[in-house]
Amino acid sequence: MLGFIVESNPQELHWMAHPVPEGLVVQAFGQVDAHNESTWERMLGESAAAAPAGSILVVDAGSLDFMSCGALVALAKQAVDSRQQGVTVRLVITLPSIRRVIAGCGMDDAISAHPDVESALNGGSPP
């Protein structure tokens, strides 16, 4: 999966993964909702498996138009599972609406959200 574009449906959800010295950055595009949540979960699992132990997996959702509560639950679950494997999961989001979903779902503490990839990779404090 590294360095390749993987698509479920270009109008809905697709992503690109590329390695960085700190670990792996996965850029997601489109939207994540109940219709493609299983694809999202597969992407998270495959990405986490590709990230080396002791590294960071950054899920860059800055280009997503929509992210459901279910997608955030899957991300929080993957973060817990990955932590047990020595991989830290961080989320990049830019849309205030997705930040509201995180807060509305009560996942402020479960999801490490950052404004950009650089702060996610460098461990900057979430806003």
Side-chain angles (χ1 to χ4, degrees), residues 9-80:
N9 179 331
Q11 281 71 43
E12 292 182 7
L13 173 64
H14 59 283
W15 62 90
M16 295 186 310
H18 56 277
V20 294
E22 298 88 344
L24 184 66
V25 174
V26 178
Q27 295 174 288
F29 306 89
Q31 61 183 0
V32 186
D33 55 24
H35 176 73
N36 59 12
E37 194 172 295
S38 63
T39 303
W40 173 254
E41 290 171 351
R42 179 174 57 88
M43 181 274 296
L44 291 172
E46 290 175 0
S47 299
S55 71
I56 299 170
L57 169 60
V58 174
V59 178
D60 182 357
S63 296
L64 285 179
D65 300 320
F66 177 78
M67 194 172 189
S68 69
C69 238
L72 292 167
V73 168
L75 180 69
K77 181 184 179 315
Q78 186 62 61
V80 170

Side-chain angles (χ1 to χ4, degrees), residues 56-61 67 72 75-80 83 87-94 98-99 102 106-127:
I56 299 170
L57 169 60
V58 174
V59 178
D60 182 357
M67 194 172 189
L72 292 167
L75 180 69
K77 181 184 179 315
Q78 186 62 61
V80 170
R83 195 174 309 122
V87 175
T88 301
V89 176
R90 296 183 181 149
L91 175 68
V92 172
I93 52 173
T94 55
I98 296 176
R99 289 190 184 279
I102 290 172
M107 289 190 246
D108 301 71
D109 294 332
I111 296 176
S112 177
H114 299 265
D116 54 50
V117 172
E118 183 178 331
S119 69
L121 288 171
N122 294 326
S125 298

